[in-house]
Amino acid sequence: MKKNPLKNIKPKAKTSPAKKRAGKPSEFLELPKKAKKWTIILLWAGGMLPLIFVYGMIFITSEDSLPSIEQLENPRSDEASLVYSSDGEILGSFYIANRTKVDFDELSLHLVDALVSTEDERYFEHSGIDGEALARAIGKGLLGMKAGGGSTITQQLAKMMFHKRPKTKWERIDQKLNEWVIAVRLEKRYTKEEIIAMYFNEFDFLNTAVGIHAAARVYFNKEAQELNIQEAAMLVGMAKNPTIYNPVRKPENTLKRREVVLSQMLRNEKLSQSEYDSLRILPLGLDYNPETHTSGLAPYFREYVRLKVKKVFKQNGILNEYGKPIDIYRDGVKIYTSLDSRMQKYAEWAVEEHLGGELQTAFDKNIKKYKHNPYSNEVSKRARDNSLNRSIKSSERYRNLKKQGFSEDEIMKNFKKKITMEVFDWNAKNYRKEVKFSPIDSIYHYKSMLQVGLVSIDPSSGYIKAWVGGPYYKDFKYDHVYKAKRQVGSTMKPFIYAAAIQDKVVSPCTEFPDIKYCVDIPYGSATQQWCPGGQKNYGQELTPVYFALANSMNNITAKIIAMSGGDNSRVVGYFENMGLKNKTIEAVASLGLGVCDMSVLDMTTAHCVLSNLGYYNEPTAIIRIEDKNGKVLYEAQPKVRQIIQDEAAYEVIKMMKGVTGAKRPSDGKRGGTAARLRTGKPYAFSGIMAGKTGTTQNNSDGWFMGHTPDLVTGVWVGAEDRGVHFSTTALGQGANTALPIWGYYMSKVYKDKKIKISHGDFKPPYEGYPRSIECEATGAFNDSGWGD
């Protein structure tokens, strides 16, 4: 083993500077008294020179380059407008910059400790400019010293609030002088706590997170007040340079910077050594949720709210604090809506569970048999071509190619060329699947996707509680709740029966033979008969009205229409009085089978009248709007009017309760188009409910309107084109396409004990309301409803 040649060599003992000074008299002490005096004066002047320079520059700085007193006292920056649910959750925001201001007491104190420890240790001692830090910064620049910068938190705030990026070095020097002036003025007008809050509100943390409110939500899915020490340290660490210390793109850099912040907190006694040792080794712990206009709950509803808010502001002439029209992307208004976030989550889940879990798979399999998949065989070549051309010309690809000057032939060649692209797929990760498709292939792919519309309304108030306008907003932005109008099918029948009961044409237990019935309708100077089908075999048995409605019997509906005058004029009047009439709602016999087109929102609103004893409430999405200071700008004023006689509406609801299993007294047969809701299927519902299914021609549209005492929910399912549909009614009927979504949704709602919703029965028009003597005689009625 070799010996270490340096082992026995001892280093020379070093004499400390203190001992050297102690060893001989100080040269300063040997100076004459007059020299000592001037030395002290010069040293003092040298130390004060930076401050004299700063305040001199402040004095001579031009007022023209500085913000006004009004701007300082009312600093304006773009703020996001927030959309709140009725249970206090933030649904989303509208913004240019995703900024929401918070007060100092809404900040985690760990944020304050981290910021002051890292950026400005003497923050609570200076008045905007830190002389010691400034001297150090000048020394750094002139003498090559290594320590620190000179900008205080207040100066950094001034830079963020009032300056753009300088183009030259001299512009930056001029800006720096202005920042000193602004910092001093800010300190005069605001408390230290207010300045810290302003700093956190102003800083851009990247990734759509402007200000600490958004940063806490985007990076940790928390409120700013809930941030722990290491989370606060990470966000404060980003202040040095958010691009370099971006936790999403550069987590290693961010971890190192967080450790620097933690060490500064240790140095300033905001952490103990044990806390520092344990926190520095933790991962970043991100819960990354970038906030965009399309992310979050209820994106279709939020777009509807956005349009409504703009309309409200315009119609009412509402201005912001500066006397200008309110811009919801900049003015930070707070929009309080009727939507329940818990119900919304269940509604979105129900759509995914049924469409994504089973129905779309069955649909894909079913339409493969079509010759021109996805179009059904009865669709002509001309209709298919027209549909394809409309889709091509409405696409962004077509518009871009057209702008670039390509001819129609060149554009069509482009649309036929296969490329690698991502398309929506329920079964793929994040619903995105990479495929080799031509643009035309992708059009056919999207046409084969089933669409959906669901809206849930409290009938007693008109408050909208849940809203799903399509299967997936990022890929399907067209809203099938209020934009799309589709044929409503048998969901119209309850209004036919209500009109007949109101006019005392029939009662719920009036009986008719189950035979073919026709309606005489005017045809020029003559008449012709309308004899709706729907049943292959007529059983001949006596059938009560309640059983006919529960089983959606077209023949007996035709009989009632004939007895009511044949044109459904009273029903048209109902929709006129509700303000829901459109050009397809005509006073014709076939209206009773739902040949008109309506939106899901309008049809659900109409059905609310039945559950609300005949009273209409205008559907309400926005309850209140406040400005950023809490001033109320708008409050909803309910619009209520009676449409249907209360007793007639109540009798129809009782009849609709039989949709899950009404009984025909003549033969004991039990039936109902929604009977599957009471079976052991995954979406079975055991609560008291009323409902109506609807299925249109060729199974293009499937509907279900489900009622509970204080929640009416309408569901529609179908493809974008009416020529794309199931081949059989067994698969395409509303009971198979729309009803399960209602069952999944309402089962979840009823099981959630935090949601205050009635589990009781529908209330009669008044206490002691009599039962029908006619129905009592048949033995068909009990408290569960007609025919149960």
Side-chain angles (χ1 to χ4, degrees):
M1 184 175 179
K2 291 184 179 179
K3 293 183 179 179
N4 183 354
L6 303 178
K7 184 177 180 181
N8 297 318
I9 300 177
K10 295 182 179 180
K12 290 182 179 180
K14 291 184 178 180
T15 305
S16 69
K19 286 184 178 180
K20 284 183 179 180
R21 285 196 298 271
K24 60 179 181 178
S26 169
E27 294 178 2
F28 177 76
L29 295 176
E30 295 177 349
L31 290 173
K33 187 175 181 180
K34 191 172 183 180
K36 288 180 187 178
K37 178 181 176 182
W38 281 105
T39 300
I40 291 170
I41 291 172
L42 289 172
L43 288 172
W44 178 84
M48 291 299 294
L49 184 61
L51 287 179
I52 294 169
F53 172 74
V54 168
Y55 285 101
M57 290 300 99
I58 290 174
F59 182 76
I60 65 171
T61 300
S62 171
E63 287 289 333
D64 295 337
S65 61
L66 296 172
S68 65
I69 299 300
E70 182 182 355
Q71 287 175 304
L72 286 173
E73 293 180 345
N74 299 284
R76 187 179 185 187
S77 55
D78 293 340
E79 289 187 50
S81 293
L82 298 181
V83 183
Y84 291 89
S85 69
S86 61
D87 53 317
E89 294 294 316
I90 296 176
L91 297 174
S93 55
F94 306 114
Y95 58 85
I96 297 293
N98 187 21
R99 178 190 289 109
T100 301
K101 292 183 178 179
V102 297
D103 294 329
F104 182 83
D105 59 7
E106 296 175 281
L107 297 174
S108 164
L109 289 180
H110 302 308
L111 283 167
V112 181
D113 290 343
L115 181 67
V116 174
S117 296
T118 308
E119 296 294 324
D120 192 353
E121 291 177 323
R122 284 171 296 281
Y123 174 71
F124 289 101
E125 300 166 18
H126 63 67
S127 299
I129 299 172
D130 184 350
E132 183 178 332
L134 181 62
R136 186 177 63 240
I138 293 173
K140 178 183 176 182
L142 299 178
L143 306 176
M145 294 169 59
K146 293 182 179 180
S151 289
T152 63
I153 289 172
T154 318
Q155 287 172 257
Q156 292 177 41
L157 172 62
K159 180 180 178 181
M160 285 189 282
M161 293 178 69
F162 300 111
H163 287 139
K164 296 179 181 179
R165 184 181 292 274
K167 295 179 181 179
T168 67
K169 184 177 180 179
W170 292 109
E171 279 189 15
R172 179 61 194 131
I173 292 172
D174 182 59
Q175 280 190 359
K176 195 69 178 177
L177 297 176
N178 288 340
E179 287 164 18
W180 289 335
V181 180
I182 297 167
V184 172
R185 292 181 176 180
L186 286 172
E187 291 270 353
K188 287 181 178 179
R189 285 165 176 80
Y190 298 99
T191 65
K192 289 288 188 178
E193 290 77 13
E194 287 172 331
I195 289 171
I196 283 180
M198 291 165 71
Y199 178 97
F200 277 118
N201 286 328
E202 199 68 26
F203 192 81
D204 187 346
F205 292 89
L206 303 185
N207 300 309
T208 72
V210 182
I212 195 63
H213 172 86
R217 287 173 59 86
V218 167
Y219 292 117
F220 299 109
N221 198 21
K222 291 183 174 182
E223 297 301 315
Q225 203 168 32
E226 300 169 339
L227 294 168
N228 60 33
I229 297 172
Q230 65 270 25
E231 292 164 348
M234 188 206 86
L235 293 173
V236 168
M238 293 178 71
K240 185 172 184 179
N241 189 322
T243 303
I244 294 175
Y245 304 112
N246 183 331
V248 177
R249 295 183 178 274
K250 298 180 179 180
E252 298 85 3
N253 288 0
T254 309
L255 270 171
K256 291 177 183 177
R257 179 60 186 165
R258 187 189 70 176
E259 186 172 352
V260 171
V261 177
L262 291 172
S263 67
Q264 286 295 108
M265 294 176 75
L266 173 64
R267 164 190 158 98
N268 285 272
E269 299 181 350
K270 301 302 180 182
L271 291 181
S272 67
Q273 186 66 51
S274 61
E275 285 176 317
Y276 170 76
D277 292 338
S278 61
L279 293 174
R280 64 183 290 272
I281 61 175
L282 293 176
L284 290 177
L286 297 181
D287 184 1
Y288 184 53
N289 296 278
E291 294 184 340
T292 67
H293 295 293
T294 61
S295 63
L297 270 180
Y300 295 97
F301 175 76
R302 283 186 276 124
E303 174 59 15
Y304 175 78
V305 166
R306 184 185 71 85
L307 297 174
K308 282 286 183 182
V309 169
K310 292 181 73 173
K311 188 175 180 181
V312 163
F313 287 158
K314 185 175 181 180
Q315 288 181 341
N316 295 279
I318 300 173
L319 304 177
N320 63 19
E321 59 187 321
Y322 304 101
K324 295 182 179 180
I326 290 180
D327 184 343
I328 63 171
Y329 297 101
R330 298 178 184 274
D331 285 330
V333 298
K334 292 178 173 60
I335 305 160
Y336 296 92
T337 73
S338 58
L339 199 87
D340 187 295
S341 69
R342 298 156 299 189
M343 291 185 183
Q344 181 66 26
K345 288 174 185 175
Y346 296 143
E348 292 182 10
W349 171 83
V351 166
E352 181 180 350
E353 188 72 11
H354 185 51
L355 253 64
E358 49 200 338
L359 194 65
Q360 185 65 51
T361 300
F363 188 62
D364 292 340
K365 183 179 179 181
N366 182 253
I367 63 177
K368 279 184 179 178
K369 65 180 70 174
Y370 292 144
K371 187 176 179 181
H372 301 286
N373 178 13
Y375 296 99
S376 63
N377 292 336
E378 82 272 5
V379 179
S380 67
K381 182 180 184 303
R382 181 178 180 181
R384 295 195 307 270
D385 289 345
N386 287 341
S387 173
L388 178 63
N389 287 333
R390 282 195 301 270
S391 296
I392 288 173
K393 291 186 177 181
S394 64
S395 69
E396 188 175 349
R397 175 182 289 270
Y398 178 87
R399 291 192 295 269
N400 288 337
L401 291 172
K402 200 70 177 173
K403 282 181 182 178
Q404 295 173 41
F406 287 92
S407 66
E408 290 295 321
D409 287 342
E410 289 171 327
I411 291 174
M412 287 309 299
K413 286 180 182 178
N414 181 282
F415 267 79
K416 292 176 181 177
K417 184 179 179 181
K418 290 190 180 292
I419 56 175
T420 300
M421 64 174 69
E422 283 190 343
V423 295
F424 175 84
D425 188 287
W426 277 115
N427 298 314
K429 184 179 179 181
N430 297 323
Y431 307 134
R432 311 300 298 166
K433 179 174 73 174
E434 191 174 283
V435 293
K436 194 83 171 179
F437 272 3
S438 71
I440 287 179
D441 291 335
S442 71
I443 289 174
Y444 285 135
H445 172 77
Y446 281 100
K447 284 188 178 295
S448 71
M449 303 302 300
L450 288 171
Q451 303 297 313
V452 65
L454 177 154
V455 69
S456 208
I457 303 175
D458 180 346
S460 65
S461 63
Y463 285 0
I464 295 166
K465 309 307 289 185
W467 178 306
V468 184
Y472 189 63
Y473 187 77
K474 289 182 180 178
D475 284 85
F476 306 96
K477 290 186 171 58
Y478 188 76
D479 193 329
H480 289 276
V481 168
Y482 86 102
K483 282 186 178 179
K485 287 182 169 58
R486 299 293 286 246
Q487 201 172 89
V488 299
S490 293
T491 60
M492 180 61 77
K493 284 178 181 171
F495 299 97
I496 308 300
Y497 286 66
I501 292 172
Q502 181 170 328
D503 289 340
K504 302 189 184 306
V505 173
V506 296
S507 79
C509 282
T510 303
E511 294 182 318
F512 298 102
D514 182 8
I515 60 176
K516 181 178 180 179
Y517 294 104
C518 297
V519 181
D520 291 330
I521 57 175
Y523 188 74
S525 58
T527 59
Q528 67 176 24
Q529 287 195 320
W530 174 70
C531 310
Q535 288 78 29
K536 292 182 179 178
N537 299 300
Y538 298 104
Q540 307 296 319
E541 289 85 5
L542 286 175
T543 301
V545 166
Y546 70 75
F547 187 86
L549 179 59
N551 287 274
S552 206
M553 296 174 69
N554 290 343
N555 58 330
I556 293 179
T557 302
K559 175 64 174 174
I560 292 172
I561 291 170
M563 293 174 67
S564 300
D567 64 356
N568 291 310
S569 56
R570 180 175 286 281
V571 175
V572 173
Y574 288 160
F575 284 88
E576 284 180 339
N577 290 339
M578 287 186 279
L580 302 178
K581 186 181 180 298
N582 60 54
K583 63 182 181 181
T584 70
I585 300 176
E586 300 178 291
V588 294
S590 57
L591 180 66
L593 303 191
V595 296
C596 62
D597 292 346
M598 294 185 70
S599 70
V600 178
L601 178 60
D602 285 352
M603 200 60 191
T604 307
T605 299
H607 265 257
C608 284
V609 171
L610 300 170
S611 280
N612 197 37
L613 294 174
Y615 283 86
Y616 163 85
N617 281 291
E618 184 179 34
T620 300
I622 303 166
I623 297 174
R624 186 177 75 259
I625 305 174
E626 297 177 357
D627 70 9
K628 61 185 177 184
N629 300 314
K631 177 185 176 183
V632 176
L633 302 174
Y634 167 82
E635 280 190 291
Q637 301 296 323
K639 295 179 181 178
V640 185
R641 52 184 176 272
Q642 188 167 12
I643 304 298
I644 301 173
Q645 183 188 51
D646 56 356
E647 294 183 10
Y650 181 64
E651 296 296 326
V652 170
I653 278 294
K654 287 201 295 182
M655 290 163 64
M656 290 170 66
K657 287 166 70 175
V659 76
T660 58
K663 179 182 177 183
R664 182 160 55 187
S666 61
D667 59 1
K669 180 180 178 181
R670 186 174 290 277
T673 58
R676 64 182 71 196
L677 266 175
R678 299 303 195 195
T679 68
K681 292 183 180 292
Y683 50 80
F685 181 74
S686 59
I688 293 174
M689 55 86 60
K692 188 69 195 79
T693 56
T695 309
T696 65
Q697 188 176 15
N698 295 325
N699 312 302
S700 295
D701 306 279
W703 291 78
F704 185 69
M705 309 301 299
H707 297 241
T708 60
D710 48 13
L711 200 64
V712 178
T713 304
V715 185
W716 166 89
V717 173
E720 177 187 315
D721 282 12
R722 299 188 196 206
V724 179
H725 54 71
F726 278 107
S727 63
T728 67
T729 301
L731 293 172
Q733 64 180 310
N736 187 59
T737 61
L739 178 149
I741 294 175
W742 188 91
Y744 280 126
Y745 166 62
M746 285 304 301
S747 294
K748 286 280 190 182
V749 170
Y750 262 45
K751 288 175 183 175
D752 191 331
K753 294 180 180 179
K754 293 181 180 179
I755 296 176
K756 304 301 179 185
I757 185 169
S758 170
H759 290 223
D761 205 347
F762 296 89
K763 291 182 180 179
Y766 52 86
E767 191 174 347
Y769 180 78
R771 296 179 178 182
S772 168
I773 295 174
E774 183 180 354
C775 285
E776 291 237 358
T778 67
F781 173 79
N782 62 33
D783 287 338
S784 296
W786 297 107
D788 283 357

